[in-house]
Amino acid sequence: AMITEKSAALYARAVEVMPGGNSRTAVYSSPYPVYVRSGSGARVTDVDGVERIDFLNNSTTLIHGHAHPEMVEAIAAAVGHGTSFGMPTPVEVEYAEALSARNETFEHVRFTSSGTEAVMMAVQAARAYTERPKIAKIAGAYHGAYDAVAVNNDGSGNLISHAVTGNPEGVVANTVVIPFNDPEGSLEVLRRHADDLACVLIDPVPWRIGLLPASKEWLDALREFCDASGAVLISDEVGSYRVGYHGAMQLLGAEADITVMGKVIAAGMPIGAVAGRRRFMSVFDPSKGKPALPHSGSYNANPVSMSSGIASLRLLTPQAHERIGQLGEQARGSMRTALGEAGLDWEVNGLGSLFRVVANSAPAGYDSAAAAMKALYWKLLENGIHIGDSGLGCISTPMGEEEIAEYAVAFAKSLGQVLAEGRA
């Protein structure tokens, strides 16, 4: 069994001052989570001194792993000059140049402090640009905590609009849901609301509904609809931008009007970015009087996040993307082999450096597929590996063949233990 005394003690303190001892639902686990003391490269050490390989990397954010020397240097230097100002700084311009150079649709960019905020501003930009109220999103897909997108975000793929508890009816009524990778089904919904739609918001590789890439046929149908109706096509790549040097949409042969990014584009510091064609981004422009969409934030484009971003993009060369993409393919292959040998019908999906184990069925002795996945999460922790308890994982640049080999062994072993305990 795992040594977790110090985590247990910390959690006992946490519940006294935070609801359920928690500030982030995603990092809670029952009876209590494992607390981390530090990370270095591909590995993390918990408060009890146990070291593990980290395949979650803060929900796929840390593409360069933990405490990468160049990232640490860039961030420390920035902090030494002041963390934030009520004035712009040179690094904002430098970072905007580096980001916009990645994709020709990123003509203008604008920064926030989180992916949630960036989605919020992209949706508001589409509404300001079109002066229309409704948005369309994929059934089951997650786009952060903003009211308008906190609808049908539970991974269920259910087409009947349902929202986070307490989300007002008026908000929910303005969000319509479309089926992922179904061109005909999507167009049927979109055409019904065409005159009222400000945008179609998608994630080209949506993790919560299994991390399957969008099909070219579906993306083409959406692009055509948006061009004809005047709706703005928004690609939320907060999680999926990392699949290729130019982002997910370009890799899949498509083009968005506005792209939302976060996570890997600063690899550890709070960041969100809205990037798009000049005409859509013009709603933010204050240089000609009051903009259609005023947008501020005390930490927008702060020099610490900007410096972190410059360093992260510098390290994310086309070669780096390709290398971790190949390691991702190896990892997915080893998991598929282990699942096949165990006789399980579970799937392994993903693209590039992203993977997700999708539990399709509950093995003997488990109430649900989710419960079996949770058991696998704990077994992997016991065997020196950290992935998400939903089966989500990714490759970071400090990883090499050695980490992938260690993972393959631990995955097969953990899976065997989960199945054996279920049968026992």
Side-chain angles (χ1 to χ4, degrees):
M2 288 196 298
I3 305 159
T4 58
E5 282 88 351
K6 288 183 175 162
S7 283
L10 276 167
Y11 186 68
R13 284 165 56 192
V15 290
E16 295 302 318
V17 284
M18 290 177 269
N22 178 271
S23 264
R24 183 179 171 189
T25 309
V27 302
Y28 174 75
S29 47
S30 178
Y32 52 83
V34 172
Y35 284 73
V36 170
R37 187 178 69 210
S38 64
S40 178
R43 293 165 198 269
V44 289
T45 304
D46 73 16
V47 289
D48 286 282
V50 180
E51 191 183 81
R52 297 179 177 88
I53 305 179
D54 186 6
F55 279 91
L56 186 57
N57 288 295
N58 188 17
S59 294
T60 77
T61 295
L62 303 163
I63 200 162
H64 304 302
H66 301 274
H68 187 289
E70 285 184 52
M71 300 292 298
V72 171
E73 196 184 343
I75 292 163
V79 171
H81 294 131
T83 54
S84 54
F85 306 93
M87 290 179 276
T89 63
V91 286
E92 174 184 3
V93 182
E94 192 188 331
Y95 182 50
E97 287 168 345
L99 194 60
S100 69
R102 295 257 160 163
N103 187 308
E104 62 167 34
T105 67
F106 300 175
E107 292 176 347
H108 274 173
V109 301
R110 196 169 180 95
F111 302 110
T112 65
S113 296
S114 69
T116 283
E117 283 175 88
V119 168
M120 182 166 88
M121 298 322 298
V123 168
Q124 289 185 0
R127 283 177 164 159
Y129 182 82
T130 60
E131 298 185 23
R132 297 174 183 173
K134 291 187 177 179
I135 75 166
K137 71 177 290 290
I138 302 166
Y142 175 77
H143 298 282
Y146 176 45
D147 276 359
V149 300
V151 175
N152 287 60
N153 65 359
D154 60 358
S156 71
N158 182 345
L159 278 175
I160 299 148
S161 252
H162 60 93
V164 167
T165 312
N167 207 347
E169 227 168 275
V171 172
V172 182
N174 279 310
T175 299
V176 300
V177 290
I178 58 173
F180 182 61
N181 270 354
D182 173 357
E184 279 317 301
S186 294
L187 289 172
E188 194 217 325
V189 176
L190 294 172
R191 285 178 186 136
R192 248 193 346 259
H193 300 276
D195 297 343
D196 294 325
L197 279 174
C199 63
V200 178
L201 170 68
I202 64 165
D203 180 334
V205 197
W207 72 270
R208 198 168 273 189
I209 48 176
L211 204 73
L212 275 168
S215 71
K216 178 87 168 77
E217 187 194 5
W218 184 68
L219 292 172
D220 287 347
L222 299 184
R223 180 69 272 170
E224 234 167 276
F225 169 81
C226 288
D227 288 341
S229 69
V232 180
L233 184 58
I234 302 174
S235 180
D236 173 357
E237 302 191 14
V238 170
S240 53
Y241 175 77
R242 63 151 51 225
V243 300
Y245 183 81
H246 308 286
M249 281 293 260
Q250 199 191 43
L251 188 72
L252 298 170
E255 208 172 83
D257 297 317
I258 292 177
T259 302
V260 176
M261 289 163 283
K263 295 188 187 283
V264 303
I265 63 161
M269 290 303 296
I271 193 83
V274 181
R277 296 284 185 194
R278 281 185 181 81
R279 65 179 180 277
F280 304 110
M281 297 296 289
S282 67
V283 296
F284 293 110
D285 181 357
S287 70
K288 297 164 186 68
K290 187 173 180 279
L293 181 58
H295 163 232
S296 282
S298 307
Y299 302 110
N300 290 2
N302 73 81
V304 184
S305 290
M306 298 291 96
S307 300
S308 182
I310 290 165
S312 181
L313 293 184
R314 189 174 63 238
L315 294 164
L316 278 181
T317 59
Q319 293 79 4
H321 273 285
E322 198 176 322
R323 190 180 71 83
I324 60 174
Q326 284 165 352
L327 292 177
E329 194 49 52
Q330 279 178 37
R332 289 189 291 271
S334 70
M335 287 183 273
R336 287 182 188 125
T337 301
L339 290 164
E341 284 169 1
L344 274 181
D345 67 344
W346 294 9
E347 284 168 62
V348 180
N349 298 331
L351 192 63
S353 55
L354 285 171
F355 65 78
R356 186 173 169 198
V357 185
V358 181
N360 288 326
S361 55
Y366 293 92
D367 299 343
S368 65
M373 189 60 237
K374 199 91 168 170
L376 179 59
Y377 161 82
W378 282 108
K379 282 293 170 212
L380 282 165
L381 278 181
E382 223 169 280
N383 292 317
I385 300 287
H386 181 219
I387 68 168
D389 61 8
S390 66
L392 181 68
C394 62
I395 313 300
S396 60
T397 58
M399 290 180 184
E401 305 280 341
E402 184 197 334
E403 284 78 14
I404 305 304
E406 271 186 62
Y407 179 63
V409 172
F411 186 85
K413 180 184 175 184
S414 303
L415 194 60
Q417 291 171 328
V418 166
L419 297 177
E421 282 183 20
R423 289 191 296 264

